[in-house]
Amino acid sequence: MPYKQWYEDLDQIKRRCRGGGLFEDPEFPAIDSKVFKKRVLPGGQSFEWLRPQELLDAQGEGQRAKMLVGGASRLDINQGMLGDCWLLAAIASLTQEEKLMDKVLRIGKYDEFGSPGYCGAFQFSIWQDGDWVDVIIDDRLPTYRKKLVFMHSKDKNEFWCALLEKAYAKLQGSYEALKGGQTIEAMEDFTGGLGEDFDLKNVRKGGEKEKKEMFTVIQKGLRRGDLMGCSITAAPNQIEAKGDLGLVKGHAYSVTGATTVNVYGREVELVRVRNPWGNEREWEGPWGDKSSEWRKLSESEKRDLNLTFADDGEFWMSLDDFVTYYDKLEICHLGPDSAKGTGNANNWEGRAEKGAWIRGSSAGGCRNFLNTFAMNPQYRVDLQDADDDEDDKCSLTVALMQTKRRKLKAEEGKPMLTIGFSIYKITDEDLKGGRADRDFFAYHASTARSPVFINSREVTGRFLLDPGSYLIIPTTFEPGHNGEFLVRIYSEKPVTTSKVDVKTNIQSRDERRSKYRSHSKEDNDAMDSSFRALFLKLAGVDKEIDAFELQQILSTATKKVLKEKEFSLEACRSIIDLKDDDKTGKLDYDEFKEVWAMVKDLLKIFAEHDKDGSGTMDMFEMRSALSKQGVNLSQPTLDCISARFNNKAGNLSFDDFLQIVCRIYSIKDEFDKYADRTGKATFGLDQFIMACVTL
């Protein structure tokens, strides 16, 4: 589910504040722990949270606080003491697109500081994990010695960027959660676009052809309104370190322009870059602000470039130098959602699928773990029409994003998972069982894969594929890791996508009774000789046994098979609940014979999956074991059951397996009764099972 504030919307806040007083956000209170969890200020002082006008008054500026001064500009933004230059670089790129800015900054006529109806609350829209969400904050900002601690504008009375940073911090849990990241991550969150990385080391190795292609990509992206960032790789623990010619290693820059100029009859490609620090550390090489190269251009060319040589953090450099000195370029392609408001043509068709890896159920790991790989979520993509500019090929860009991990890391210390994906070409025959199984993956090679498995928020791959049907398998590198994810699929022509799954189907009560009541005379004689005397001895005058007595009989009967392990009382109660038609809490002898036939069946199935004779079955094998018992479950239903019965070891005892089967059969019987009585059910079997399992 997308993030949603629990208290009220902005209009409600404004109405409530009309009687006096300004809004104070209960979800993001003005306390030190919402800045840093452990780090403290000198002398153990606390941050002072001030509203913009309070801050200006305390500074003696004599100015009126404003959200915007002359509009939002990439030149407004300056970094504070937080290591979130990646966020600043993305915001600087965002300012290049006015309509995108309007989508993120939800500023109305009553949102100006001190205006009639001003309530101290602001609303921003930020794309998060596949949804645009509204984030409401109050305008209290952390300060130290009457100065803003974090992001701030060059104009002291302008506060849009400081408040946007606060909204993003609220979404992630704290300001500290914003420390360290990739520019492309924030670019996606401010646009809903899809990020793509380019390794400029490979471009410079490739020569002039690759450089020209890279320049074309940059120019086309800027024309479409794509957001771009670049950086120089730093050594481990070397963050924002001094590099060559004024550049900074381990620091995020934004790319804001690209053009070609004529120098004495020779065309030179130039790239414009912005340092979010503002007035510090600009490029000192050729085409920098103080470079003599500018004298080679005509005055008209200079005017066309709208040149300024101020210490504003923005500079030009040649494409050759850009590729030589920078190591990484990140481009956020504006997809269907974000591009609607940009006014630019959009060549992408986009689809998105949400899912989760659940330990013991759907967290099967990569193809190295063949026995569990097929348990991962599976998504089908049908490519029908080839691209116009490709020879019978379809372009497909796949992005796998692990969601909510930045907040989980900040609040619970959980690191990023190592993620990737595989793509397989398939036919309808391959999915006749509902999903591709282990044998399919054992005998079919992948058609394409993610470039790497990586512990970052997202991994993206661009592919050219033949028309046809494909299966995308998103995975963690190793099995057994819980996590939620979003798969986004971009193509130039429309495609269809769907989650591939087994349809829940469970044997009816009549089918099971027919199976377990059809005993031969030999079976009946054998059962009587083994159980009848013990049953009658325990049953008493009513000739029925309760859960305690059933426990004695089954524990005795399976003593050797289960290696002296006793049946649990809970398992016996589950059996009686399933078979006790008259609801007396007891079983007669005929009902017991039916129970024993089922138990023998389950023991056989369990033994087939207990390969090492340990007395346990892998949780991943539960789907196969249940299927042999006539129980086929969809992935969400299986996930729910796994969460209910899973343990730290990730395995099941026979007792667990028996309880699961009895519980599922009982729920199915109740569902059938309801459907029969009313003529229809207002919810599906999967929903009914998931609701009942958790009770």
Side-chain angles (χ1 to χ4, degrees), residues 381-401:
V381 181
D382 293 308
L383 303 176
Q384 297 175 346
D385 300 324
D387 296 354
D388 296 332
D389 56 351
E390 298 291 344
D391 294 333
D392 297 323
K393 296 284 186 179
C394 303
S395 61
L396 188 73
T397 299
V398 178
L400 171 62
M401 175 188 292

Side-chain angles (χ1 to χ4, degrees), residues 292-516:
S292 61
E293 270 76 12
W294 294 111
R295 300 172 192 165
K296 302 173 184 178
L297 298 188
S298 66
E299 290 303 315
S300 64
E301 283 185 300
K302 292 179 185 179
R303 284 194 300 271
D304 290 342
L305 291 174
N306 193 25
L307 286 176
T308 59
F309 295 127
D311 289 331
D312 54 13
E314 192 165 63
F315 52 85
W316 290 90
M317 59 196 308
S318 70
L319 175 67
D320 284 343
D321 284 335
F322 177 77
V323 171
T324 297
Y325 286 93
Y326 285 98
D327 298 319
K328 185 177 183 180
L329 174 68
E330 299 169 307
I331 301 181
C332 182
H333 303 293
L334 298 185
D337 287 342
S338 54
K340 287 176 183 175
T342 65
N344 292 313
N346 173 49
N347 294 324
W348 293 105
E349 295 283 341
R351 306 281 293 180
E353 298 281 355
K354 292 184 178 182
W357 298 293
I358 296 178
R359 182 175 178 268
S361 174
S362 55
C366 72
R367 174 59 178 73
N368 295 349
F369 303 91
L370 178 60
N371 287 334
T372 57
F373 181 68
M375 300 298 292
N376 285 296
Q378 302 178 7
Y379 299 93
R380 176 172 177 160
V381 181
D382 293 308
L383 303 176
Q384 297 175 346
D385 300 324
D387 296 354
D388 296 332
D389 56 351
E390 298 291 344
D391 294 333
D392 297 323
K393 296 284 186 179
C394 303
S395 61
L396 188 73
T397 299
V398 178
L400 171 62
M401 175 188 292
Q402 52 183 315
T403 58
K404 304 177 183 176
R405 299 306 295 193
R406 178 174 289 276
K407 189 170 185 178
L408 285 171
K409 181 178 180 180
E411 295 183 350
E412 301 178 25
K414 293 182 179 180
M416 288 282 183
L417 301 172
T418 301
I419 61 171
F421 59 85
S422 303
I423 301 176
Y424 291 80
K425 192 164 188 180
I426 57 167
T427 65
D428 290 341
E429 181 67 17
D430 296 324
L431 301 181
K432 63 182 180 181
R435 293 167 52 92
D437 58 15
R438 181 191 181 281
D439 288 345
F440 172 83
F441 295 112
Y443 297 107
H444 292 79
S446 61
T447 304
R449 290 178 291 177
S450 55
V452 291
F453 270 82
I454 190 169
N455 61 339
S456 64
R457 184 172 85 155
E458 189 171 41
V459 59
T460 303
R462 182 183 292 196
F463 313 100
L464 283 176
L465 303 175
D466 294 325
S469 297
Y470 295 86
L471 208 57
I472 299 175
I473 315 294
T475 76
T476 55
F477 185 75
E478 293 181 336
H481 292 285
N482 292 320
E484 297 179 43
F485 63 81
L486 175 72
V487 178
R488 290 187 289 166
I489 300 160
Y490 277 26
S491 59
E492 290 195 7
K493 294 294 180 72
V495 300
T496 58
T497 64
S498 60
K499 185 173 182 179
V500 172
D501 204 356
V502 172
K503 183 178 180 181
T504 296
N505 182 40
I506 303 168
Q507 282 186 341
S508 69
R509 187 180 185 88
D510 289 341
E511 288 173 320
R512 298 194 308 269
R513 281 184 165 176
S514 175
K515 176 181 178 181
Y516 292 127

Side-chain angles (χ1 to χ4, degrees), residues 153-167:
S153 174
K154 68 175 183 179
D155 294 305
K156 289 186 176 181
N157 65 328
E158 184 180 60
F159 290 92
W160 72 268
C161 56
L163 291 168
L164 176 56
E165 181 188 42
K166 179 179 179 178

Side-chain angles (χ1 to χ4, degrees), residues 206-219:
E208 290 303 313
K209 181 175 180 290
E210 280 72 14
K211 289 180 185 178
K212 293 284 186 183
E213 290 175 350
M214 188 77 266
F215 190 68
T216 299
V217 168
I218 293 172
Q219 282 191 309

Side-chain angles (χ1 to χ4, degrees), residues 52-53 55-57 59-61 63-66 69 76 78 141 146-148 152-160 162:
Q53 193 60 56
L55 177 60
L56 291 177
D57 292 344
Q59 293 173 342
E61 291 293 331
Q63 293 178 297
R64 181 178 173 181
K66 292 182 176 294
V69 176
D76 290 342
N78 290 288
L141 296 167
K146 310 304 180 186
K147 291 184 179 180
L148 288 175
H152 55 279
S153 174
K154 68 175 183 179
D155 294 305
K156 289 186 176 181
N157 65 328
E158 184 180 60
F159 290 92
W160 72 268

